[in-house]
Amino acid sequence: MQKDSDMPLWVFLAFSSIETRRGAMILIWSSFLFTIYCIPWAILYENPWLTRLFLIDDWEWFAMMVPMTVWYWLSMKWVDKNRGWNLATNTEKNSIE
C-alpha cells in the first residue's frame, strides 16, 4: 500500500505490504486466532493434553496480541472509510502502464 498525505502513519505501518482487503482480512483473522491460542489454557484447565498443545503458561503473549489485533482491525476500518482498497490497486496498475 502506498502512503498518501492524508493517511495516518499507524495505518500505513499496519498495511505497508498488504494491497487488498482480502490480505488485510487474512492478517486480522490469523492475528485473532493466534490471540486465542495465546490464552494460557494450560493454567485454566489442568489437562495434560492441553499442556502439550498449548505451550504458553502466562498472559504476556495474550496481552500483546490483543492490542495488535485491534490495531489491524482499526486500520482496516480507516482504509474502508477514507480510502478504499481499489485505489491502492488502481494506483499500482496505472503506474505499471
Side-chain angles (χ1 to χ4, degrees):
M1 177 173 288
Q2 302 221 351
K3 184 171 180 350
D4 294 344
S5 59
D6 62 336
M7 179 184 286
L9 182 62
W10 59 273
V11 174
F12 174 70
L13 291 175
F15 298 135
S16 62
S17 62
I18 296 176
E19 297 294 332
T20 62
R21 189 175 197 281
R22 182 173 187 253
M25 288 300 294
I26 290 171
L27 175 68
I28 292 168
W29 276 107
S30 59
S31 178
F32 175 74
L33 291 175
F34 189 68
T35 302
I36 299 301
Y37 176 82
C38 289
I39 294 173
W41 298 106
I43 293 174
L44 300 175
Y45 300 103
E46 298 293 331
N47 187 331
W49 286 100
L50 282 177
T51 306
R52 288 189 185 119
L53 183 62
F54 297 101
L55 302 174
I56 298 171
D57 60 352
D58 59 9
W59 290 95
E60 291 175 14
W61 278 96
F62 180 78
M64 179 182 62
M65 288 303 299
V66 169
M68 283 178 53
T69 305
V70 170
W71 170 42
Y72 292 145
W73 182 75
L74 289 174
S75 297
M76 185 188 68
K77 290 300 179 186
W78 187 93
V79 173
D80 286 346
K81 182 179 177 185
N82 296 303
R83 179 177 180 183
W85 294 97
N86 291 334
L87 180 62
T89 329
N90 291 337
T91 306
E92 252 184 42
K93 287 180 184 176
N94 291 339
S95 65
I96 293 172
E97 295 173 353

